[in-house]
């Protein structure tokens, strides 16, 4: 996915985030981290979290060497564990929950890190069978039930696109109940 693709997908889910504090959970190479930094702007902050130390090191080098729009902090951590982040305005989880055995438990913990009214943006696959690369597919219908349990509003799918790996990618957004 290109940076322009990531930015377009996030703009569909996050119409306004200037000056806010967000986390990109499962940041990987940082394509969504950079898009978030652009959306929150110079007054905002993005926490890029990934369990792979090498990914965080590469992301740190690329952000430091570039001109990020926001302050970007890197955190080498496992999103299935408590993260100790400050209260967040939102989180992005792109291709993360399909790796998590108990996505509901993880989502509930993540929602507890959000300010009331905070947003969750989930980017996942629809119409895929389990594989080594997507062990626990998370169709939008299942996300709706997990969101209700986690204290989120009904997720709205705001964008889709065909996936080169089968099925389609969807972008859903939901809000923490106040």
């Amino acid at each position: 996915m290109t940076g322009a693709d990531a930015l377009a997908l996030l703009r569909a889910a996050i119409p306004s985030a200037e000056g806010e504090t967000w986390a990109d959970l499962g940041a990987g190479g940082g394509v969504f981290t950079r898009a978030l930094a652009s959306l929150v702007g110079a007054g905002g902050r993005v926490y890029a979290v990934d369990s792979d130390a090498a990914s965080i090191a590469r992301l740190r080098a690329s952000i430091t060497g570039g001109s990020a729009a926001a302050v970007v902090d890197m955190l080498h951590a496992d999103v299935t564990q408590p993260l100790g982040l400050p209260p967040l305005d939102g989180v992005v989880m792109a291709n993360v929950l399909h790796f998590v055995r108990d996505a509901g438990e993880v989502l509930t913990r993540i929602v507890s890190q959000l300010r009331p009214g905070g947003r969750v943006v989930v980017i996942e696959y629809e119409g895929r069978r389990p594989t080594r690369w997507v062990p626990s597919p998370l169709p939008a219908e299942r996300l709706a039930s997990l969101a209700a349990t986690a204290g989120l509003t009904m997720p709205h799918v705001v964008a889709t696109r065909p996936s080169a790996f089968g099925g389609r990618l969807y972008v859903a957004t939901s809000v923490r109940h106040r």
Side-chain angles (χ1 to χ4, degrees), residues 4 12 33 40 61 71 73 77 82 105 122:
T33 302
V40 302
V71 172
D73 293 308
E105 178 184 314
V122 172

Side-chain angles (χ1 to χ4, degrees), residues 35-99:
L36 266 176
S38 174
L39 290 174
V40 302
R45 179 176 297 268
V46 175
Y47 291 92
V49 180
D50 202 282
S51 62
D52 181 53
S55 290
I56 289 293
R58 283 190 300 275
L59 180 56
R60 181 175 283 118
S62 71
I63 294 285
T64 302
S67 56
V71 172
V72 179
D73 293 308
M74 279 41 127
L75 178 61
H76 174 224
D78 183 341
V79 299
T80 66
Q81 302 300 313
L83 299 173
L85 295 172
L88 300 167
D89 296 300
V91 297
V92 169
M93 291 180 286
N95 300 319
V96 171
L97 291 174
H98 66 241
F99 285 112

Side-chain angles (χ1 to χ4, degrees), residues 113-137:
Q113 292 277 267
L114 293 175
R115 292 183 173 106
R119 293 169 281 174
V120 173
V121 177
V122 172
I123 302 165
E124 279 293 347
Y125 293 103
E126 184 85 68
R128 288 212 43 179
R129 295 179 190 259
T131 66
R132 185 173 108 199
W133 300 277
V134 183
S136 302

